[in-house]
Amino acid sequence: MPATNEQRITTRIGYGWDSHEFRRGIPLKIGGVALPHPKGLGGHSDGDVLLHAITDALLGALAAPDIGSLFSPADPQWKGADSAVFLAEAIKRVKAAGYVIANLDSTLILAAPKIGPHTARIRDHVANLLGIQPDRVGIKAKTPEGMGTDNAAIAHAVVLLELRAAKRKR
Ligand code: MG
């Protein structure tokens, strides 16, 4: 299919999923926000499970390579990396392809800490990273009832991209 046809897709949906294991003695960051908790999320980068899921949702919407392909866990340059760097690359690709983010929805699944008191802060921060209004960002949290994943944090994210108005007129 020629690239010009590809440009005529006015909306694209993307989905991302991630999980990381809790480890004692490292800082916890979810959605780029530091949360008070005795355990953080292990991983090659800063383990920010929500930003990883959102990054993969954006890349998936573009049918681009996923986060692990672009930022290999085997590459020492990403050790301890701020996951906002991964998200920024995905956003750059969204813009380059001529799209804007219409909205994002996400669900966190973790036993602790309670996310409710921090939801607004996480939503505002994620909205800021994405360059969209907070009323376009859904942040929900559930506990993993009956799943046996109490030592992990899981995140699901879906995004809707819209072709920029200027591109639609072509
Ligand atoms: Mg990850």
Side-chain angles (χ1 to χ4, degrees), residues 4-128:
T4 47
N5 281 350
E6 200 65 17
Q7 289 295 312
R8 289 189 205 120
I9 299 177
T10 54
T11 57
R12 284 175 167 265
I13 193 166
Y15 167 74
W17 179 94
D18 196 25
S19 74
H20 282 263
E21 192 173 17
F22 279 104
R23 287 189 202 146
R24 198 162 285 281
I26 56 173
L28 176 61
K29 248 169 77 176
I30 292 182
V33 173
L35 301 179
H37 196 56
K39 295 176 179 177
L41 294 171
H44 189 65
S45 65
D46 64 5
D48 194 323
V49 69
L50 180 58
L51 292 193
H52 294 181
I54 295 170
T55 299
D56 255 351
L58 291 168
L59 293 171
L62 298 173
D66 67 11
I67 187 170
S69 307
L70 295 179
F71 306 99
S72 169
D75 188 337
Q77 77 166 302
W78 307 122
K79 186 158 175 55
D82 182 343
S83 295
V85 171
F86 309 150
L87 184 61
E89 172 63 24
I91 294 166
K92 196 176 93 183
R93 286 173 179 242
V94 167
K95 285 181 183 162
Y99 289 87
V100 293
I101 300 167
N103 75 307
L104 159 88
D105 191 19
S106 67
T107 302
L108 287 160
I109 304 161
L110 69 175
K114 283 222 171 303
I115 297 299
H118 310 290
T119 302
R121 205 151 51 99
I122 294 171
R123 186 196 60 221
D124 290 354
H125 190 73
V126 168
N128 192 41

